Amino acid sequence: MRVLMVASECYPLAKSGGLADVVGALPPALAALGHTVLVCLPGYPSVFAALDAAAEIDSYPELYGGPARVLRGRAAGLDVAVVDAPHLFDRPGHPYVGPDGDEWPDNGFRFAALAVVARELALGRVADLAVDVVHAHDWQAGLVPAYLALDSRPRPATVMTIHNLSFQGQMPAAWLGRLGLPAHAFGADGVEYYGGVGFLKAGLYYADQLTTVSPSYAREIQGSLWGMGMEGLLSARAHDLTGIVNGIDTTVWNPAADPLVSPPYDADTLERRGEHKAHLQAQFGLDVDPERPLFAIISRLAWQKGTDLLVEALDGAVGAGGQMLILGSGDPGMEERCAGAAAVYPGRVATWFGYNEAFAHRIQAGADGIVVASRFEPCGLTQLYGLRYGCVPVVAGTGGLVDTVTDADTDPDHGTGFVFAAGDALALRRAFARVAEAYADRERWRAIQRRGMAQDLGWTRAAQAYVEVYERAGASRHGR
Ligand code: ADP
């Protein structure tokens, strides 16, 4: 199958979140299954810095305020089509946010330009480039399925993936014409969303098939609690919506060959984790004590991530004899609360604020439990890294967390971690006690760790599931 992937981020070329990881990892996994993938990306400076062997394949005299070219080449091992439109994308730093910390006011036009280019690539404007399915990611690519469905030319199938429903790309109704959308599309059965033009809404309405990043999140977004206004449309399209859990890069996240983790270890040499734990305890000012279960957080500090719940339940971790190490960045108020809690429990609770990739690896290698207390979590990566590293996940029962971790008390034969009721600090406090009890039984603990480490977390399974969705999209193409 020939896939055109359209996204505003792609690891390692441009990243603001998990979307980038998927767009960077899924194409090679699809290629390994025999499919060809072209990734259509905005020409940010970071993309050009990595672009190799590029040739111009298309051009536009005017595309939202200036001329544009489309360059095809290689970047980060991927076949890419890059929209070279300096007036839209030659801006350093964050893909969506300017130096003042605000979103760029022309984001709607920037990503409409990306969608126009993707539409033309999909409809055969460039000779020798055939496309069977267009895979659009998040609101920034939401217009792609709409443009294709509203075009009278024969088109490939379309798939729209939601990575996080809370980002929706809502634009003013007055932009309809400038976005190249016909007046008849401005309705509930079209691109209209709460009186404006909804980019994500457009994609979710017009795409042949929809996916999100876990089966549980796929169910949750059909309800009013986490549907964020889209629940009506999503439940009406429930039969077209599939949840596919993200894979992880098992070469980057591999305790047996991680350059940041020395000595390396695997499921048969788990005792080596003790060295990593002692090192962490010393480095972060915790009492060096192998007997205390060391819990860790590696997270954005934010409401979604339940940082406030964690602070509320922290005394439960300490009361159960444990320690807590918090690596995080984000909301300054949340940082202050975490720091305040650490001051109450010297030697037992430690914090490090900022983003630090090396610490993230070393914490997964040395901590006993990785805590993810999210209120909602489309997929979540932290618990997957924990499983791979024998750092037992202690997770809220929501979204991708509940799809990837099995509670060891509820299902002793298959348990890989501990699951507590999402949004409930008391349940988290109880979970700390449950973990401490399991940790004290070393044989049981090792079994939990080993089951997690044996779980298949790579991209092949996910890529196979996407191929099935692409096939369904082809079959249902004329349905809308
Ligand atoms: P989200 O994308 O919603 O923040 P995920 O669990 O999907 O949550 O992904 C979070 C990723 O960011 C993980 O790879 C995690 O290790 C990493 N991460 C989060 N905070 C930090 C931090 N302060 N330092 C290092 N890595 C972090």
Side-chain angles (χ1 to χ4, degrees):
M1 219 176 278
R2 293 158 300 188
V3 184
L4 177 67
M5 208 158 283
V6 190
S8 54
E9 302 181 23
C10 176
Y11 181 82
L13 304 171
K15 171 164 173 168
S16 84
L19 155 69
D21 294 324
V22 175
V23 178
L26 182 55
L30 288 166
L33 298 176
H35 305 284
T36 55
V37 186
L38 176 63
V39 186
C40 183
L41 293 170
Y44 309 120
S46 57
V47 172
F48 278 110
L51 186 64
D52 242 359
E56 182 175 321
I57 56 168
D58 202 358
S59 65
Y60 296 78
E62 207 288 329
L63 191 64
Y64 291 108
R69 303 185 303 157
V70 184
L71 304 180
R72 185 171 183 183
R74 305 281 303 172
L78 304 173
D79 185 11
V80 293
V82 178
V83 185
D84 179 17
H87 58 291
L88 299 172
F89 299 124
D90 187 11
R91 304 175 195 181
H94 194 280
Y96 320 126
V97 174
D100 55 3
D102 290 338
E103 305 235 319
W104 294 108
D106 61 346
N107 273 348
F109 299 120
R110 297 172 80 212
F111 297 110
L114 176 71
V116 166
V117 168
R119 174 189 66 199
E120 295 305 318
L121 291 174
L123 293 179
R125 177 167 145 143
V126 175
D128 301 328
L129 196 136
V131 174
D132 301 310
V133 61
V134 180
H135 187 171
H137 295 266
D138 271 354
W139 75 263
Q140 293 87 347
L143 287 186
V144 180
Y147 282 159
L148 286 167
L150 292 164
D151 201 287
S152 57
R153 292 170 282 180
R155 67 170 178 89
T158 54
V159 173
M160 180 84 222
T161 293
I162 304 164
H163 296 268
N164 188 335
L165 194 57
S166 51
F167 305 105
Q168 302 189 339
Q170 184 73 347
M171 305 301 155
W175 289 9
L176 190 75
R178 283 183 72 194
L179 293 169
L181 293 163
H184 71 80
F186 193 72
D189 289 334
V191 303
E192 186 272 335
Y193 188 61
Y194 289 96
V197 177
F199 276 35
L200 182 62
K201 153 76 196 296
L204 296 178
Y205 179 77
Y206 285 106
D208 298 314
Q209 287 289 313
L210 313 176
T211 77
T212 188
V213 289
S214 68
S216 288
Y217 192 59
R219 276 190 300 277
E220 289 164 5
I221 57 180
Q222 295 174 44
S224 55
L225 185 58
W226 299 121
M228 307 204 171
M230 298 286 186
E231 59 271 19
L233 173 57
L234 290 167
S235 52
R237 298 209 61 193
H239 292 298
D240 298 328
L241 172 60
T242 308
I244 302 173
V245 170
N246 291 335
I248 60 170
D249 188 331
T250 49
T251 55
V252 174
W253 292 92
N254 176 10
D258 182 337
L260 297 165
V261 171
S262 173
Y265 66 90
D266 60 20
D268 296 326
T269 50
L270 279 168
E271 67 287 351
R272 291 194 196 153
R273 296 183 90 261
E275 202 175 310
H276 299 300
K277 176 173 175 175
H279 189 81
L280 282 181
Q281 287 172 322
Q283 178 175 12
F284 291 98
L286 295 164
D287 300 336
V288 179
D289 183 346
E291 297 308 317
R292 293 198 182 284
L294 172 57
F295 298 99
I297 303 282
I298 305 171
S299 178
R300 289 189 283 121
L301 303 179
W303 183 84
Q304 181 203 333
K305 299 292 178 185
T307 313
D308 52 322
L309 301 170
L310 175 84
V311 171
E312 218 180 306
L314 208 53
D315 58 342
V318 174
Q323 297 176 331
M324 175 67 72
L325 172 55
I326 302 172
L327 170 65
S329 63
D331 186 334
M334 296 277 188
E335 285 190 14
E336 215 170 289
R337 290 184 64 184
C338 292
V344 176
Y345 300 111
R348 300 291 291 278
V349 178
T351 58
W352 198 92
F353 299 121
Y355 192 95
N356 190 311
E357 194 75 23
F359 287 168
H361 283 247
R362 290 181 187 134
I363 290 172
Q364 296 281 14
D368 299 302
I370 184 81
V371 182
V372 188
S374 306
R375 287 187 162 84
F376 72 95
E377 191 59 76
C379 178
L381 288 173
T382 321
Q383 83 283 9
L384 301 180
Y385 301 146
L387 287 167
R388 182 102 167 115
Y389 276 63
C391 187
V392 173
V394 184
V395 302
T398 185
L401 301 175
V402 78
D403 290 340
T404 52
V405 180
T406 303
D407 187 86
D409 283 330
T410 316
D411 190 346
D413 294 334
H414 302 100
T416 54
F418 295 83
V419 183
F420 60 91
D424 183 344
L426 191 63
L428 174 53
R429 198 177 274 132
R430 278 198 220 104
F432 286 133
R434 294 198 289 133
V435 176
E437 200 184 312
Y439 183 73
D441 178 347
R442 217 38 62 93
E443 213 167 296
R444 181 179 173 215
W445 188 256
R446 286 277 184 258
I448 296 170
Q449 287 177 300
R450 290 203 176 101
R451 277 193 292 268
M453 294 177 87
Q455 201 160 312
D456 176 12
L457 302 171
W459 269 101
T460 308
R461 162 202 50 80
Q464 281 160 345
Y466 277 108
V467 171
E468 284 170 25
V469 171
Y470 297 161
E471 282 164 357
R472 279 204 292 284
S476 62
R477 177 172 18 169
H478 303 295
R480 296 181 73 76

